[in-house]
Amino acid sequence: MQRILFVMILLLSAACANVAATERADSGKMLAKLTEELSLTDEQQTETEVVMGLFHDEMKLLHESEGSRRDKGKKMKVAAETRDSQMQQILDESQFEQYQNMVAEMREKMKQRRK
Protein backbone atom coordinates (compact mmCIF):
# COMPACT_ATOMS: atom_id res chain seq x y z
CA MET A 1 0.00 0.00 0.00
CA GLN A 2 2.79 2.41 0.91
CA ARG A 3 4.58 1.51 -2.29
CA ILE A 4 1.52 2.38 -4.38
CA LEU A 5 1.12 5.68 -2.57
CA PHE A 6 4.79 6.48 -3.09
CA VAL A 7 4.56 5.73 -6.84
CA MET A 8 1.43 7.88 -7.16
CA ILE A 9 3.13 10.81 -5.40
CA LEU A 10 6.20 10.38 -7.61
CA LEU A 11 4.09 10.41 -10.79
CA LEU A 12 2.13 13.44 -9.63
CA SER A 13 5.35 15.31 -8.84
CA ALA A 14 6.74 14.53 -12.28
CA ALA A 15 3.55 15.75 -13.94
CA CYS A 16 3.62 19.01 -11.96
CA ALA A 17 7.28 19.59 -12.83
CA ASN A 18 6.49 19.06 -16.52
CA VAL A 19 3.63 21.61 -16.42
CA ALA A 20 5.86 24.19 -14.67
CA ALA A 21 8.61 23.68 -17.25
CA THR A 22 6.12 24.13 -20.09
CA GLU A 23 4.78 27.35 -18.56
CA ARG A 24 8.30 28.75 -18.22
CA ALA A 25 9.02 27.83 -21.83
CA ASP A 26 5.85 29.59 -22.98
CA SER A 27 6.85 32.73 -21.03
CA GLY A 28 10.27 32.60 -22.63
CA LYS A 29 8.73 32.31 -26.09
CA MET A 30 6.57 35.36 -25.43
CA LEU A 31 9.54 37.40 -24.25
CA ALA A 32 11.56 36.30 -27.27
CA LYS A 33 8.70 37.28 -29.59
CA LEU A 34 8.36 40.70 -27.95
CA THR A 35 12.12 41.23 -28.05
CA GLU A 36 12.27 40.41 -31.75
CA GLU A 37 9.09 42.16 -32.91
CA LEU A 38 9.64 45.33 -30.87
CA SER A 39 13.46 45.43 -31.08
CA LEU A 40 13.74 45.73 -27.29
CA THR A 41 16.94 47.03 -25.73
CA ASP A 42 18.57 44.95 -22.99
CA GLU A 43 17.05 47.23 -20.35
CA GLN A 44 13.59 47.04 -21.91
CA GLN A 45 13.91 43.26 -22.16
CA THR A 46 14.73 42.97 -18.45
CA GLU A 47 11.84 45.23 -17.43
CA THR A 48 9.44 43.43 -19.79
CA GLU A 49 10.44 40.07 -18.35
CA VAL A 50 9.52 41.29 -14.85
CA VAL A 51 6.17 42.75 -15.96
CA MET A 52 5.21 39.66 -17.96
CA GLY A 53 6.29 37.35 -15.15
CA LEU A 54 4.12 39.18 -12.64
CA PHE A 55 1.20 39.17 -15.08
CA HIS A 56 1.60 35.45 -15.74
CA ASP A 57 1.68 34.69 -12.01
CA GLU A 58 -1.40 36.81 -11.37
CA MET A 59 -3.33 35.16 -14.20
CA LYS A 60 -2.39 31.71 -12.94
CA LEU A 61 -3.64 32.58 -9.45
CA LEU A 62 -6.88 33.94 -10.88
CA HIS A 63 -7.46 30.78 -12.93
CA GLU A 64 -6.95 28.65 -9.83
CA SER A 65 -8.98 30.86 -7.50
CA GLU A 66 -12.56 30.42 -6.39
CA GLY A 67 -15.26 32.72 -7.66
CA SER A 68 -17.55 33.27 -10.58
CA ARG A 69 -16.31 33.53 -14.15
CA ARG A 70 -17.61 37.07 -14.22
CA ASP A 71 -15.59 38.14 -11.17
CA LYS A 72 -12.48 36.40 -12.48
CA GLY A 73 -12.97 38.07 -15.86
CA LYS A 74 -13.14 41.50 -14.27
CA LYS A 75 -9.98 40.84 -12.27
CA MET A 76 -8.20 39.52 -15.36
CA LYS A 77 -9.16 42.65 -17.29
CA VAL A 78 -7.74 44.85 -14.50
CA ALA A 79 -4.53 42.75 -14.51
CA ALA A 80 -4.21 43.18 -18.29
CA GLU A 81 -4.77 46.93 -18.03
CA THR A 82 -2.11 47.15 -15.31
CA ARG A 83 0.31 45.15 -17.49
CA ASP A 84 -0.38 47.39 -20.47
CA SER A 85 0.11 50.52 -18.38
CA GLN A 86 3.46 49.22 -17.17
CA MET A 87 4.47 48.29 -20.71
CA GLN A 88 3.61 51.80 -21.87
CA GLN A 89 6.17 53.12 -19.37
CA ILE A 90 8.83 50.74 -20.69
CA LEU A 91 8.29 51.09 -24.44
CA ASP A 92 8.59 54.10 -26.70
CA GLU A 93 5.53 55.31 -28.61
CA SER A 94 6.00 53.23 -31.77
CA GLN A 95 6.93 50.10 -29.81
CA PHE A 96 3.84 50.47 -27.63
CA GLU A 97 1.64 50.82 -30.72
CA GLN A 98 3.12 47.58 -32.11
CA TYR A 99 2.65 45.95 -28.69
CA GLN A 100 -1.04 46.92 -28.65
CA ASN A 101 -1.47 45.39 -32.11
CA MET A 102 0.18 42.17 -30.93
CA VAL A 103 -2.11 42.01 -27.88
CA ALA A 104 -5.16 42.60 -30.08
CA GLU A 105 -4.08 39.75 -32.37
CA MET A 106 -3.60 37.41 -29.40
CA ARG A 107 -7.05 38.29 -28.06
CA GLU A 108 -8.58 37.57 -31.45
CA LYS A 109 -6.85 34.18 -31.61
CA MET A 110 -8.16 33.35 -28.14
CA LYS A 111 -11.70 34.26 -29.20
CA GLN A 112 -11.36 31.98 -32.24
CA ARG A 113 -10.22 29.08 -30.03
CA ARG A 114 -13.30 29.43 -27.84
CA LYS A 115 -15.66 28.95 -30.79
Side-chain angles (χ1 to χ4, degrees), residues 52-105:
M52 291 301 179
L54 292 172
F55 176 72
H56 179 268
D57 292 346
E58 188 170 357
M59 296 303 277
K60 184 177 178 184
L61 288 174
L62 286 170
H63 278 289
E64 295 170 353
S65 69
E66 297 293 321
S68 70
R69 279 182 82 173
R70 184 179 207 161
D71 288 340
K72 286 182 182 183
K74 287 178 183 178
K75 290 176 183 176
M76 288 178 184
K77 185 175 181 176
V78 169
E81 289 170 354
T82 301
R83 175 205 59 200
D84 293 345
S85 172
Q86 291 170 333
M87 290 301 293
Q88 189 172 16
Q89 301 300 312
I90 296 169
L91 304 173
D92 66 32
E93 197 172 312
S94 66
Q95 286 174 320
F96 186 68
E97 188 175 314
Q98 281 181 280
Y99 166 78
Q100 286 179 311
N101 291 335
M102 291 172 70
V103 169
E105 286 177 25

